[in-house]
């Protein structure tokens, strides 16, 4: 379609990276109005749903950052003017695509540019973040930083390191494979893997594709992975089937010295069970980039507990920024803005969902 005018809402751009890209569209489309809403509203609560619907009811186009703001049917049905929903990334499980189709709302994402050709593989943003969390946790970086700036010196225990230890990957897709490759090549780690459909043949195929020997990834059952791994890293896609795939049962199998890392999605893990494990100090460390509710509530025990002391687990937190590399997000907004221009000018939209 061709639109002579439009109102556009840009949601959850916490670093204000999007305006330069949309201003370029405004320079050639004077009847377009863009509003920015960096404060996230959660439609999972009645009050949040009502507030979000009121905020967005008059907009023709909405730009959303990944899954920060879900778009369930209960919200979409309250947005009768919405014609174009743009998201960042190649997919968004929090958008009800069937409801969008019923309301004739066009939905489009963005492509992810692969790394430039190189003699050596270049890990993507989430892979880098996963290893930053693993190493930061193993070496007590954040705990010891807090001690030093607070006037103390060393903490109650020394670091554990990762070289030669066992990494357990829950999931062996693109990200799991990338994390596992670094474990083998950089740290000489043994890598064991599990997912509901994993086989040894599949594990060997992934190892070969990553430039490793076929035996570098070993398939084990779920119980053995959690019992044997020195580091457990969750690298799965969230779905109805995978929700809660890490429960109290699995966490209780982990070694007292083990580390747990999740850079995928919060609901993959029973957050209450993980919180109890960390409060009780039954594992050595946990590093989390994702949570059930985001942004993390101010009164969340994850925020308020003095982790790593008085028998609690050492905990490292980051605000779901594993994918949030500056150049990556800027390119996503560039693609969003280009799709807005295409929609306004009646051209074909790219990366439709």
């Amino acid at each position: 379609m061709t639109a002579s005018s439009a109102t556009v809402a840009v949601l959850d751009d916490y670093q204000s990276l999007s305006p330069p890209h949309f201003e370029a569209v405004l320079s050639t489309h004077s009847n377009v109005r863009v509003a920015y809403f960096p404060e996230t509203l959660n439609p999972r609560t009645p009050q949040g749903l009502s507030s979000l619907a009121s905020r967005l009811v008059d907009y023709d186009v909405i730009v959303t950052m990944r899954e920060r703001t879900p778009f369930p049917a209960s919200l979409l049905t309250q947005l009768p003017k919405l014609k174009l929903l743009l998201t960042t990334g190649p997919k968004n499980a929090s958008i009800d695509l069937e409801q969008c189709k019923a309301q004739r709302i066009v939905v489009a994402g963005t492509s992810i540019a692969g790394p430039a050709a190189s003699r050596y593989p270049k890990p993507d943003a989430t892979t880098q973040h996963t290893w930053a969390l693993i190493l930061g946790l193993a070496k007590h970086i954040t705990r010891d930083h807090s001690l030093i700036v607070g006037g103390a010196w060393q903490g109650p225990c020394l670091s554990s390191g990762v070289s030669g230890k066992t990494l357990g990957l829950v999931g062996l897709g693109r990200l799991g494979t990338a994390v596992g490759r670094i474990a083998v090549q950089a740290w000489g780690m043994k890598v064991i893997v599990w997912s509901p459909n994993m086989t040894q043949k599949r594990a060997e195929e992934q190892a070969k594709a990553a430039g490793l020997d076929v035996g570098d990834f070993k398939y084990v059952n779920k119980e053995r992975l959690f019992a044997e791994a020195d580091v457990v890293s969750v690298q799965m896609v969230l779905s109805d089937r995978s929700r809660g795939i890490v429960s109290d049962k699995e966490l209780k199998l982990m070694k007292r010295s083990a580390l747990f890392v999740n850079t995928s999605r919060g609901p993959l893990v029973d957050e209450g069970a993980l919180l109890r494990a960390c409060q009780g100090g039954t594992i050595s460390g946990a590093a989390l980039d994702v949570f059930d509710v985001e942004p993390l509530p101010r009164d969340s025990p994850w925020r308020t507990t003095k982790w790593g002391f008085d028998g609690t687990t050492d905990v490292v937190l980051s605000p779901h920024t594993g994918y949030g590399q500056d150049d990556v997000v800027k390119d996503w907004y560039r693609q969003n803005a280009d799709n807005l221009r295409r929609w306004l000018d009646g051209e074909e939209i790219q990366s439709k969902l």
Side-chain angles (χ1 to χ4, degrees):
M1 66 167 292
T2 301
S4 59
S5 64
T7 53
V8 181
V10 179
L11 308 184
D12 308 324
D13 177 11
Y14 300 153
Q15 287 79 32
S16 298
L17 298 176
S18 61
H21 301 283
F22 291 104
E23 286 169 7
V25 177
L26 299 183
S27 68
T28 56
H29 298 78
S30 60
N31 290 330
V32 175
R33 299 289 179 267
V34 179
Y36 300 91
F37 299 99
E39 180 185 354
T40 301
L41 296 177
N42 183 6
R44 295 184 179 92
T45 67
Q47 181 179 356
L49 177 62
S50 176
S51 298
L52 187 58
S54 296
R55 171 185 283 181
L56 301 177
V57 67
D58 291 325
Y59 288 92
D60 305 300
V61 180
I62 296 173
V63 182
T64 184
M65 170 54 70
R66 300 284 283 182
E67 296 165 8
R68 291 176 182 174
T69 296
F71 281 82
S74 56
L75 173 60
L76 292 165
T77 53
Q78 298 185 61
L79 306 177
K81 294 185 178 181
L82 182 59
K83 302 177 184 68
L84 177 64
L85 180 55
L86 299 173
T87 184
T88 52
K91 56 188 174 183
N92 189 328
S94 72
I95 297 174
D96 189 328
L97 294 177
E98 288 300 316
Q99 185 61 39
C100 287
K101 183 178 180 180
Q103 293 180 220
R104 296 185 179 181
I105 300 167
V106 177
V107 184
T110 57
S111 62
I112 298 179
S118 171
R119 178 182 176 186
Y120 302 104
K122 294 182 179 180
D124 66 5
T126 304
T127 302
Q128 294 176 53
H129 197 83
T130 299
W131 274 107
L133 290 178
I134 292 172
L135 295 176
L137 189 62
K139 304 301 289 185
H140 299 305
I141 300 298
T142 56
R143 184 204 68 184
D144 290 350
H145 169 81
S146 298
L147 285 170
I148 291 172
V149 299
W153 190 230
Q154 294 189 9
C157 60
L158 296 177
S159 64
S160 57
V162 297
S163 294
K165 295 194 175 179
T166 299
L167 172 66
L169 292 171
V170 180
L172 194 64
R174 178 179 61 85
L175 291 174
T177 299
V179 171
R181 180 186 64 80
I182 293 171
V184 173
Q185 294 183 331
W187 312 113
M189 297 181 78
K190 173 184 176 182
V191 178
I192 55 177
V193 303
W194 174 86
S195 69
N197 298 318
M198 183 55 56
T199 63
Q200 182 59 34
K201 180 181 178 182
R202 175 61 175 158
E204 291 174 356
E205 291 172 348
Q206 290 295 88
K208 185 176 180 180
L212 303 175
D213 292 336
V214 294
D216 283 336
F217 293 163
K218 182 178 180 180
Y219 166 72
V220 298
N221 64 38
K222 190 179 186 183
E223 291 75 16
R224 183 176 171 185
L225 182 142
F226 278 87
E228 293 187 2
D230 297 298
V231 180
V232 173
S233 183
V234 180
Q235 312 289 167
M236 292 193 72
V237 174
L238 178 63
S239 66
D240 290 340
R241 185 182 178 191
S242 63
R243 186 178 298 273
I245 202 161
V246 179
S247 68
D248 183 67
K249 174 184 175 183
E250 287 76 37
L251 295 170
K252 285 181 175 177
L253 293 172
M254 294 180 68
K255 303 174 184 178
R256 171 63 184 83
S257 59
L259 309 178
F260 180 85
V261 181
N262 186 7
T263 55
S264 293
R265 291 293 183 272
L268 290 165
V269 181
D270 181 336
E271 190 170 288
L274 180 59
L275 185 61
R276 290 190 297 273
C278 292
Q279 290 170 331
T282 62
I283 57 175
S284 179
L288 306 175
D289 185 50
V290 289
F291 307 89
D292 281 358
V293 177
E294 298 177 3
L296 195 62
R298 291 183 181 275
D299 61 352
S300 167
W302 293 117
R303 289 184 186 263
T304 59
T305 303
K306 188 178 180 181
W307 296 111
F309 297 91
D310 301 322
T312 62
T313 290
D314 194 15
V315 172
V316 175
L317 308 175
S318 58
H320 202 160
T321 49
Y323 65 88
Q325 199 164 287
D326 184 82
D327 56 337
V328 173
V329 174
K330 285 180 178 177
D331 185 61
W332 285 348
Y333 280 132
R334 178 194 62 77
Q335 293 181 60
N336 283 160
D338 183 61
N339 263 339
L340 173 61
R341 180 198 60 77
R342 288 172 175 274
W343 181 76
L344 291 166
D345 293 344
E347 298 178 14
E348 182 178 356
I349 291 176
Q350 304 296 303
S351 303
K352 283 187 180 180
L353 303 184

